[in-house]
Amino acid sequence: MEIKELKSKDEIIKAFPVMKQLRTHLDEETYLDLVFEAREKDHYRLFALYDQGDIVAVTGFKPMITLYYGRFVWVCDLVTDSVKRSMGYGEELLNFVHDWARTNGYSSVALSSGLMRLNAHRFYTDKMNYDKVSFVFKHNLD
């Protein structure tokens, strides 16, 4: 297995089929635009976990500083290919994020997960030892 940062347009496009399983509302063009804008303006990093040359899991995260969390890494996206779940790939990739955060001087890792994603919640709390600390609220402006 290998974890690699995706930087080129071609690398980022190759991760889209897996990312699309989480971000179903995105088409490829919008996905590319958002990844490049987030990298430029928000320090977003996109990594893929490869197994035997195939992308099996993808994560996008960004380092942040807030008064509530202090210096931390926010996991924006974490998804394992649906046919490869429960094989340890998500754990491997999230542990990579933890290591990246420690190495770069961040004190914690945080994320949100959709209300309906009960299997993901169990993964975060039971397997990865995350605490539930808040609800996330959203208001669309259109």
Side-chain angles (χ1 to χ4, degrees):
M1 286 190 291
E2 173 189 24
I3 296 173
K4 179 180 174 187
E5 185 167 12
L6 308 179
K7 294 183 177 181
S8 74
K9 180 179 178 181
D10 186 52
E11 290 172 331
I12 294 166
I13 287 171
K14 286 180 180 169
F16 180 67
V18 175
M19 183 67 80
K20 176 80 174 167
Q21 294 174 35
L22 178 65
R23 304 296 176 218
T24 58
H25 63 287
L26 294 178
D27 59 46
E28 190 175 277
E29 182 179 342
T30 304
Y31 160 76
L32 276 174
D33 290 345
L34 289 171
V35 168
F36 280 107
E37 183 177 2
R39 281 179 31 183
E40 177 186 329
K41 295 180 179 176
D42 218 14
H43 306 290
Y44 180 80
R45 312 284 296 264
L46 184 64
F47 288 83
L49 174 62
Y50 293 81
D51 191 358
Q52 298 181 359
D54 295 324
I55 294 176
V56 295
V58 179
T59 190
F61 62 85
K62 58 185 178 177
M64 295 178 67
I65 302 169
T66 66
L67 297 179
Y68 180 63
Y69 287 125
R71 295 175 46 79
F72 72 104
V73 169
W74 181 259
V75 177
C76 306
D77 316 287
L78 178 67
V79 59
T80 299
D81 190 333
S82 62
V83 299
K84 303 283 186 171
R85 291 192 183 138
S86 298
M87 298 175 69
Y89 296 124
E91 181 178 4
E92 183 80 18
L93 202 48
L94 195 51
N95 280 327
F96 168 82
V97 175
H98 296 169
D99 291 342
W100 188 98
R102 271 189 217 95
T103 300
N104 288 280
Y106 294 91
S107 59
S108 62
V109 175
L111 54 86
S112 68
S113 181
L115 294 172
M116 68 299 220
R117 297 186 180 280
L118 299 178
N119 289 336
H121 302 170
R122 281 190 292 278
F123 168 73
Y124 295 127
T125 59
D126 298 350
K127 185 136 187 122
M128 300 306 298
N129 204 28
Y130 275 62
D131 296 317
K132 291 181 185 178
V133 296
S134 67
F135 286 99
V136 176
F137 296 91
K138 177 183 172 189
H139 176 79
N140 288 326
L141 299 175
D142 37 14

